[in-house]
Amino acid sequence: MASTMDSVDAKPSLVEISARTWLLRVRLPGHSFGSVNAYLLDSDDGAVLIDVPWGTPDTYAELLAQVRAAGVEPAALRYVLLTHHHDDHAGAAGLLQSEYGVRVAMHAAEWRALRARFEDGGGFAHVLQQWLSRVGADPAGAEFALRQYAEIASRTRPVRPDVVLADDEVVSFGGRRIRVVHAPGHTPGHTCYLDEDLRLLFSGDHVFASRRANATSRPYAPERPLKEYWASTERLLALEPAVVLPGHDDPFDDLAARMRVLRAVYDEKRSEVTQLATTRSTAWQIAARMRRRRAWSELDGNARLAATGEAEAYLLDALDAEMVTATKGRPVLWQTTSGVSG
Ligand SMILES: [Zn+2]
Ligand SMILES: [Zn+2]
């Protein structure tokens, strides 16, 4: 394990994690992590990939080169198991499907979210607009979000799964058994996979070794992103994995310790947004007041939307804990229950 712990840069790399199990670190130029981790699991009866990077020509070629470097021919791939539909984890799935007949598998809830997002003929723009007015986005922010969605939709070819997975199902091949663990939070159908014999937990975007994972509020996110996130976390802890293999960043072994650190950060953030709702405020306004390294005025449209989604997720969590109240209608106005009335 020592070698994987050391490989923090974004160079392409192939690391043997365990017997016939490799981490393929594929570069994603311009991505905030700089790379994504795909995992290759080989057996006497074919191989499986957990997640695949973007389907751009260079990235796809780098993936295939790494699969071959591990001694596996792409034609021997039987499945791609997706943790979720984001293009840094699923982008090349359609290419492997059409070129090599690899069967693509994802959780039923993720397939529903993917279809709603890209295949319902303009319905998403309406849902996005409703969300923007709910959080109180300013006109420039709303315009940015709608334009950004149109761009993403125009370049996205959603992959159709050959296999729709259910929670707790076991995918078996060549004597290996991979359990499907539905872990919503980051997305509604976000799925972790457990290699039952080796106790390896492939954790997608649920948790990283050093950075905070995101479970934020946005269209087609879970209704209560953080509530689901922490419920999923309890399930993952109960699996007692020996090693956690995340979708970005380095593998690590003590999941409970990592989640304790994150819990403290989440609790602190939740009380911060609660404090900021002293006068009736929208999620957008509260996001603008949150402490961060760069001032709100310096954030681009994307960063403002992300910050607002994060603020709303904490506010929803605070609402369940009766730390804030929320008005009905759009925009939703938040107010702390202990603060000054305004
Ligand atoms: Zn993601
Ligand atoms: Zn990701």
Side-chain angles (χ1 to χ4, degrees):
M1 287 305 302
S3 61
T4 55
M5 298 299 181
D6 295 340
S7 59
V8 289
D9 57 27
K11 286 198 199 85
S13 59
L14 176 70
V15 180
E16 191 162 6
I17 295 290
S18 187
R20 305 182 88 173
T21 306
W22 293 267
L23 181 165
L24 317 181
R25 178 157 294 169
V26 183
R27 290 173 298 179
L28 302 180
H31 186 283
S32 62
F33 275 100
S35 63
V36 68
N37 299 333
Y39 294 93
L40 177 65
L41 285 61
D42 195 19
S43 79
D44 290 337
D45 189 20
V48 161
L49 275 170
I50 295 178
D51 281 352
V52 287
W54 297 336
T56 52
D58 288 356
T59 306
Y60 182 54
E62 194 173 304
L63 171 73
L64 293 181
Q66 292 203 33
V67 169
R68 290 196 174 101
V72 173
E73 274 308 306
L77 291 168
R78 294 183 51 179
Y79 296 103
V80 175
L81 306 179
L82 297 176
T83 60
H84 62 300
H85 77 270
H86 290 163
D87 65 352
D88 53 336
H89 298 262
L95 291 171
L96 289 169
Q97 194 181 40
S98 57
E99 215 172 314
Y100 295 101
V102 183
R103 291 162 67 77
V104 174
M106 71 176 79
H107 190 274
E110 198 63 7
W111 174 221
R112 269 197 303 279
L114 177 57
R115 259 186 327 214
R117 203 169 160 201
F118 295 111
E119 292 195 348
D120 69 348
F124 181 84
H126 177 67
V127 174
L128 177 59
Q129 230 143 13
Q130 285 186 317
W131 180 80
L132 291 163
S133 61
R134 186 176 88 201
V135 299
D138 70 10
E143 199 191 298
F144 175 89
L146 291 162
R147 199 174 55 237
Q148 183 190 47
Y149 170 67
E151 275 166 25
I152 293 171
S154 73
R155 61 163 195 256
T156 301
R157 299 276 168 280
V159 63
R160 292 182 163 272
D162 303 285
V163 183
V164 175
L165 300 169
D167 185 35
D168 225 26
E169 184 176 332
V170 174
V171 178
S172 305
F173 59 100
R176 296 191 78 154
R177 293 185 319 212
I178 309 300
R179 188 168 294 275
V180 174
V181 186
H182 183 208
H186 180 65
T187 62
H190 188 278
T191 302
C192 298
Y193 296 96
L194 180 74
D195 182 311
E196 295 213 308
D197 298 313
L198 300 173
R199 308 305 299 168
L200 304 175
L201 180 69
F202 301 91
S203 61
D205 276 356
H206 190 85
V207 58
F208 307 118
S210 52
R211 272 203 243 173
R212 207 148 42 87
N214 87 47
T216 67
S217 179
R218 57 183 182 273
Y220 297 111
E223 232 171 84
R224 288 287 194 272
L226 289 172
K227 189 175 174 189
E228 297 208 20
Y229 180 86
W230 289 107
S232 296
T233 297
E234 289 306 315
R235 292 196 62 200
L236 298 176
L237 288 170
L239 299 173
E240 298 185 348
V243 182
V244 181
L245 299 162
H248 305 274
D249 213 340
D250 288 330
F252 59 97
D253 50 23
D254 194 342
L255 180 63
R258 181 68 189 131
M259 294 321 300
R260 275 194 299 276
V261 170
L262 286 175
R263 183 77 233 190
V265 176
Y266 279 76
D267 287 348
E268 196 181 302
K269 286 249 172 202
R270 189 176 67 172
S271 53
E272 187 193 354
V273 299
T274 304
Q275 302 301 316
L276 291 173
T278 44
T279 54
R280 282 152 45 105
S281 308
T282 64
W284 184 269
Q285 290 166 331
I286 291 167
R289 296 177 203 141
M290 284 175 78
R291 276 194 308 272
R292 58 173 59 81
R293 266 179 293 138
R294 284 188 301 151
W296 179 255
S297 59
E298 287 172 34
L299 299 187
D300 63 14
N302 196 40
R304 287 184 182 191
L305 290 167
T308 302
E310 184 181 35
E312 199 193 36
Y314 286 110
L315 288 162
L316 289 164
D317 209 37
L319 182 67
D320 288 337
E322 299 182 357
M323 295 160 74
V324 292
T325 58
T327 57
K328 302 250 182 286
R330 293 194 290 265
V332 173
L333 299 172
W334 300 90
Q335 180 156 33
T336 171
T337 50
S338 59
V340 192
S341 59

